[in-house]
Amino acid sequence: MKALVLAGGFPQIALVEELKKRGIEVILADYNENPVAKEYADSFYQVSTLDIPAITEVAKIEKVDFLITACTDQALLTVACVSEKLGLPCYIDYETALNVTNKSYMKAMFEAHGIPSAKHVIMAELEEDKISGMEYPLIVKPVDCNSSKGVKRADNIDELRDAFSEAVRLSRTDTAIVEEFIEGPELTADVYIENGVAHLLSLSNNEKIADKDKFIIFRTKYPAAVSDDICEQVRICAQKIAEAFGIKNAPMLVQLITDGRRIFVIEFSARTGGGVKYLLAKKASGFDVISAVVDLTLGIYPHVDKKATVSKYIANEFIYCNPGKFDRLEGFDELKAEGVIADYYIFKWQGAEFNGVNSSGDRVGGFTVQGNTAEEIEEKHRIAASRIKVLDADGNDIMRHELLTDLHYEI
C-alpha cells in the first residue's frame, strides 16, 4: 500500500513511523523544503498542503491508496476534500471537515445545540452597533486560521478596529469573530469518539505568553487544576459536540475556559492536538491516537481501553527564540540521560530562521518533565530550564529563556 501524508511537522514523524511499521510506503507533502518529517518518508514533494489541485495531482501521480494527516486542521480539510474527489478512504467526510474548521459555522452550531461559548458576533466589516451590547475586553480572531494567528485582545474601540482589520486580512473568507473575553484558566481536552461516545483521554491546563496581543501557548500541564465537576462538564460538552456535528469515530480536541463553576468552549477540531499533545494523551490514558487515525483510515475501529497515567504530573514545555537562525540544541541529551527530562522534541529544521514569536508555529522545540509529586516535577523543571540552550551556527544562544517561567502545580 501507499499513503500520501500531508504536513511534515513533528507529529507527522510518529504518523510516518506508524505507517511504515505496517509496511505502507509513505509519500510526504509539505510547503517547506526540509520539514522535520522529510527524512522519515520514502519520497517527498514540496507542495503546500492547502493547494488542493496540487495535492490531487500528487495523489494521482503516485497512485496512492489513501491520504492522511494528524494534528493539523487545514491539512485535514485537504485530505477530506481530495479523498472524496478520488474515492479514497478518510475517517471524516469533506462537509464535516469544512464545518469543524470554520469558526462561524462552529459558533452557530454551539448556539443551536446549547454548547456554552462566549457571546460573539461574526462580521466581514466592523459594524460597531453589533457590538454595542458587548463588554470589553473583546477577543478578535479570523474565522478560519489556526495556531493563534490573528487572535488579539481589544480593550477599546481603537484597538478593536486595528485587531479586526488584521483578522479580516488573515482570513481566507475575509471574515472575523468578535467575542467577549472570559477570565479564567484555559483547558485543553483530548477526546476520542468511539461509536458516537466521547471518551476523555486527558484534560490539561494551557499557560500562555504574557502578552495581551498574543495568545501563544508555552506550557501544557497535566492534570488540569479543576474539580471533578468541571471534568464531567467537559465530558458532557464533548459528547454534545460529537452529536451536534455528527462525529461517530474520530479524535477530537476541545479548547475551553473555565471560571471555576462553568466551562465555555473556545473551539474544537476533529483531530488530536498539535505539537506533542498526542504523546500527552497517550501518557495520560494509554490510548495511541496516531495509531487510531491510521486504523480508522483503513476501516478498523479501535476500542478505547484507558490505562493508568505514566506519572501523576506531566508538563510539556515549548521553546521559542529571539531573531536568528537555528542550528542545534544543547543540554537536552544529557538531561534525558540523567532522567531530568522524559524526552525532548525538535520542531524546526537546521537553518530555520526566526523573526519573533507570532504564533505557536514559531516553536523551535520542546521537552517533557514528569513526576509523581509536585516537588519532584518542579525541581526537574528548574534544573532543565537552567541548562538548556538553543544555538545558532556561531554558538550564540538565541533561546527566549525569559519565556520559560517557573513551573508550579497547585496541590
Side-chain angles (χ1 to χ4, degrees):
M1 294 184 78
K2 188 184 290 189
L4 174 56
V5 172
L6 301 197
F10 182 82
Q12 281 73 44
I13 294 174
L15 177 57
V16 171
E17 290 180 330
E18 177 66 28
L19 290 165
K20 295 187 76 171
K21 186 172 71 176
R22 302 184 189 211
I24 299 170
E25 183 180 346
V26 177
I27 316 301
L28 181 68
D30 191 283
Y31 76 96
N32 289 305
E33 183 180 359
N34 291 299
V36 292
K38 178 179 177 179
E39 63 182 281
Y40 296 83
D42 294 294
S43 56
F44 174 73
Y45 284 81
Q46 187 180 1
V47 57
S48 170
T49 59
L50 304 184
D51 189 339
I52 290 175
I55 294 297
T56 302
E57 188 62 22
V58 172
K60 288 179 177 178
I61 290 170
E62 292 290 343
K63 298 179 180 178
V64 300
D65 296 284
F66 61 92
L67 296 88
I68 193 168
T69 192
C71 309
T72 172
D73 283 329
Q74 300 306 322
L76 177 59
L77 184 60
T78 302
V79 166
C81 180
V82 176
S83 297
E84 199 164 285
K85 276 186 178 182
L86 301 181
L88 300 176
C90 182
Y91 74 83
I92 188 170
D93 62 83
Y94 178 59
E95 183 179 359
T96 302
L98 194 62
N99 291 340
V100 302
T101 54
N102 185 292
K103 296 180 179 68
S104 176
Y105 181 87
M106 189 182 299
K107 288 284 192 179
M109 292 294 282
F110 288 171
E111 285 189 12
H113 292 269
I115 297 165
S117 188
K119 185 177 180 180
H120 68 279
V121 293
I122 299 168
M123 300 174 282
E125 295 182 3
L126 181 57
E127 300 176 55
E128 295 178 16
D129 60 310
K130 288 189 176 181
I131 56 100
S132 60
M134 299 172 69
E135 295 184 5
Y136 287 97
L138 299 173
I139 301 298
V140 185
K141 60 182 77 172
V143 298
D144 48 10
C145 288
N146 53 17
S147 300
S148 301
K149 290 177 182 174
V151 180
K152 290 194 174 183
R153 168 175 164 162
D155 291 323
N156 54 58
I157 188 61
D158 290 333
E159 291 181 354
L160 177 62
R161 289 168 182 155
D162 290 342
F164 189 88
S165 177
E166 176 70 2
V168 168
R169 185 185 67 78
L170 291 170
S171 169
R172 290 185 300 280
T173 56
D174 302 320
T175 312
I177 291 177
V178 179
E179 62 185 23
E180 289 187 341
F181 176 74
I182 298 171
E183 190 72 48
E186 185 174 314
L187 309 173
T188 295
D190 285 285
V191 178
Y192 188 80
I193 310 299
E194 180 185 354
N195 296 324
V197 178
H199 297 270
L200 183 59
L201 304 178
S202 70
L203 185 63
S204 53
N205 284 117
N206 291 332
E207 294 187 11
K208 297 191 171 184
I209 293 172
D211 186 332
K212 95 176 194 64
D213 286 333
K214 295 187 179 74
F215 294 83
I216 301 171
I217 297 170
F218 72 90
R219 173 181 295 146
T220 298
K221 297 193 305 185
Y222 173 87
V226 296
S227 66
D228 291 342
D229 177 62
I230 292 294
C231 287
E232 180 61 11
Q233 286 186 48
V234 171
R235 188 199 64 77
I236 292 171
C237 188
Q239 184 66 47
K240 284 186 176 182
I241 292 172
E243 292 170 1
F245 287 81
I247 299 171
K248 299 297 183 185
N249 291 279
M252 197 161 76
L253 174 75
V254 188
Q255 294 173 282
L256 315 101
I257 288 179
T258 178
D259 62 6
R261 296 180 299 108
R262 300 165 298 168
I263 60 170
F264 302 87
V265 179
I266 302 170
E267 60 189 48
F268 87 100
S269 304
R271 61 171 176 87
T272 192
V276 293
K277 190 56 72 68
Y278 71 94
L279 289 173
L280 177 60
K282 187 175 181 180
K283 288 173 183 286
S285 68
F287 187 74
D288 188 337
V289 183
I290 297 291
S291 176
V293 168
V294 177
D295 282 343
L296 286 177
T297 305
L298 297 176
I300 303 165
Y301 295 92
H303 173 60
V304 177
D305 183 18
K306 294 202 289 186
K307 300 177 176 62
T309 179
V310 298
S311 295
K312 185 175 181 180
Y313 299 101
I314 305 168
N316 289 329
E317 299 284 337
F318 303 114
I319 301 166
Y320 297 89
C321 292
N322 290 302
K325 188 177 289 188
F326 169 62
D327 185 72
R328 63 194 185 277
L329 302 180
E330 183 176 282
F332 289 82
D333 285 326
E334 295 83 356
L335 289 164
K336 184 176 179 180
E338 294 168 20
V340 175
I341 62 175
D343 211 341
Y344 69 91
Y345 325 98
I346 302 175
F347 300 150
K348 297 294 184 182
W349 52 95
Q350 189 177 45
E353 292 192 46
F354 293 96
N355 296 303
V357 181
N358 300 300
S359 75
S360 58
D362 292 319
R363 301 167 180 168
V364 66
F367 64 93
T368 298
V369 285
Q370 299 172 190
N372 287 316
T373 67
E375 293 79 11
E376 177 190 358
I377 192 172
E378 288 168 5
E379 177 61 18
K380 285 180 174 179
H381 182 272
R382 279 192 291 271
I383 294 170
S386 69
R387 289 170 51 183
I388 59 175
K389 294 180 180 179
V390 179
L391 304 180
D392 64 15
D394 296 322
N396 300 308
D397 187 3
I398 58 173
M399 179 178 156
R400 291 281 300 274
H401 287 272
E402 80 281 6
L403 298 182
L404 202 61
T405 60
D406 288 344
L407 176 65
H408 177 69
Y409 271 89
E410 297 178 17
I411 306 300

